[in-house]
Amino acid sequence: MPPKKKSAPEDLSVPAPSKKQDGSTGYLIALGVMLVLFAGTVVILLASPQGKKLLGRAPSANSNANAPAAGGNANANTNTPAEEPAEEPGLPVGGQVELVNAMDADNVVIVDQKVIWRSESGDLTLVEHASDLLPALKAGDSALVIVARPSGSTRTIFAFGCAGGCDAPGATQPIAFDPALRAFIPLINPPDHYIAGSLLSPNQRRMWYTGPSGEEQRELWVYDFVNDKQTVAVRLPAGESLTECVPEIGPPESVRIRWTDPTMLEYKVYRGSGTVPFCERPRTEIATRTVSVPQ
């Protein structure tokens, strides 16, 4: 018998794996697409005017400067308030509040007052008739006067003075005026004291004052126009006085007090020793001192 032919070996190849989609691969692809879109959006936003403004924004004025300044403290605090007032929205740049007085026929008595914003571009009326907002102006011989323009504040400080034909020593009853609101803002804690230019600090934010005239002065007070706050800066013991002389008759007593800068007062101290006619014999000066004014 012829030999049997060997059968061909069976195909032992491994079947190809099925092409079932892997879920994790699809997730990674979707995540990549989202990241690309997000990055493109960020680039577009930063390239916009708003984005450039954000990138160029200066550091906050209330931050602590930890980098050492030349000749200064490495941890110098920069919380110092700005001295220059911000421009008021809706008002011409570079202006300030002013008063325009309407006089009587004899040009002696103030009969009406207008509050304006004066700038290089002209006058803008803020209040046509001040007496419409302040009825007290109609009730006597009073008129507004500007007594202070506090640095770092957009408000102007007015006070009530004489409308004409009176011998009042100065303005009193200060009141603030806000040019943006076009309104007078009452001050709650002002001193009952005449306001004179010699009392104002160099930046006109504060004024010093003592007690009523004709009395022994042992206390030196400071009023803050911006914060509407009174503070006692000096209180002398018995035997010392701020008063150079207390007269029996004649002119009022005098004190020697002055601002050396917006934060410091210098004052002379005298030995208290009764009264003399017309202050013919000034008191003995004890010392010249300074005091830091609360900020």
Side-chain angles (χ1 to χ4, degrees):
M1 293 181 64
K4 293 183 179 179
K5 296 182 179 179
K6 295 182 178 180
S7 61
E10 297 179 359
D11 189 2
L12 300 178
S13 60
V14 180
S18 62
K19 297 183 179 180
K20 184 177 181 181
Q21 181 69 35
D22 189 350
S24 61
T25 302
Y27 172 78
L28 291 175
I29 293 174
L31 180 60
V33 172
M34 291 177 63
L35 289 175
V36 170
L37 292 175
F38 176 75
T41 302
V42 171
V43 171
I44 293 173
L45 287 175
L46 292 181
S48 66
Q50 292 82 1
K52 292 178 180 178
K53 183 178 179 181
L54 179 63
L55 289 176
R57 181 175 297 173
S60 171
N62 290 327
S63 62
N64 287 331
N66 293 322
N73 190 337
N75 292 318
N77 195 317
T78 60
N79 286 331
T80 304
E83 287 296 325
E84 293 300 325
E87 293 293 344
E88 286 291 356
L91 296 175
V93 176
Q96 65 179 13
V97 172
E98 296 286 0
L99 273 172
V100 176
N101 298 328
M103 309 300 293
D104 66 355
D106 297 324
N107 200 32
V108 174
V109 178
I110 298 173
V111 296
D112 197 6
Q113 292 181 295
K114 179 190 299 185
V115 182
I116 64 171
W117 180 265
R118 177 160 291 165
S119 65
E120 293 183 357
S121 60
D123 293 347
L124 174 65
T125 299
L126 302 178
V127 178
E128 185 67 39
H129 304 285
S131 59
D132 290 344
L133 299 181
L134 299 173
L137 294 175
K138 296 180 179 179
D141 296 327
S142 297
L144 289 175
V145 293
I146 295 176
V147 296
R149 302 182 189 276
S151 177
S153 173
T154 56
R155 293 183 177 182
T156 298
I157 306 300
F158 290 92
F160 289 84
C162 184
C166 60
D167 298 323
T172 187
Q173 298 173 289
I175 186 170
F177 180 79
D178 191 314
L181 299 177
R182 306 189 181 196
F184 291 95
I185 312 297
L187 298 172
I188 307 301
N189 301 303
D192 185 14
H193 197 286
Y194 292 113
I195 303 172
S198 60
L199 310 181
L200 296 178
S201 63
N203 58 11
Q204 299 191 12
R205 292 175 65 92
R206 299 170 183 86
M207 61 173 279
W208 67 263
Y209 59 99
T210 57
S213 177
E215 297 181 4
E216 192 78 74
Q217 306 299 338
R218 290 194 172 91
E219 292 185 347
L220 172 58
W221 287 75
V222 172
Y223 176 67
D224 188 320
F225 288 108
V226 177
N227 296 311
D228 190 16
K229 182 179 180 181
Q230 297 187 54
T231 304
V232 58
V234 174
R235 184 175 281 119
L236 297 178
E240 294 186 353
S241 176
L242 295 169
T243 309
E244 186 178 23
C245 175
V246 178
E248 292 178 353
I249 54 175
E253 84 294 340
S254 61
V255 294
R256 305 297 180 186
I257 304 169
R258 71 181 185 93
W259 294 92
T260 60
D261 60 51
T263 65
M264 189 76 66
L265 280 168
E266 179 186 272
Y267 61 98
K268 292 186 179 296
V269 181
Y270 301 90
R271 181 177 292 115
S273 56
T275 62
V276 295
F278 301 100
C279 288
E280 294 172 347
R281 298 187 301 277
R283 289 173 167 174
T284 301
E285 182 180 334
I286 297 175
T288 299
R289 302 170 185 164
T290 59
V291 61
S292 179
V293 175
Q295 301 298 301

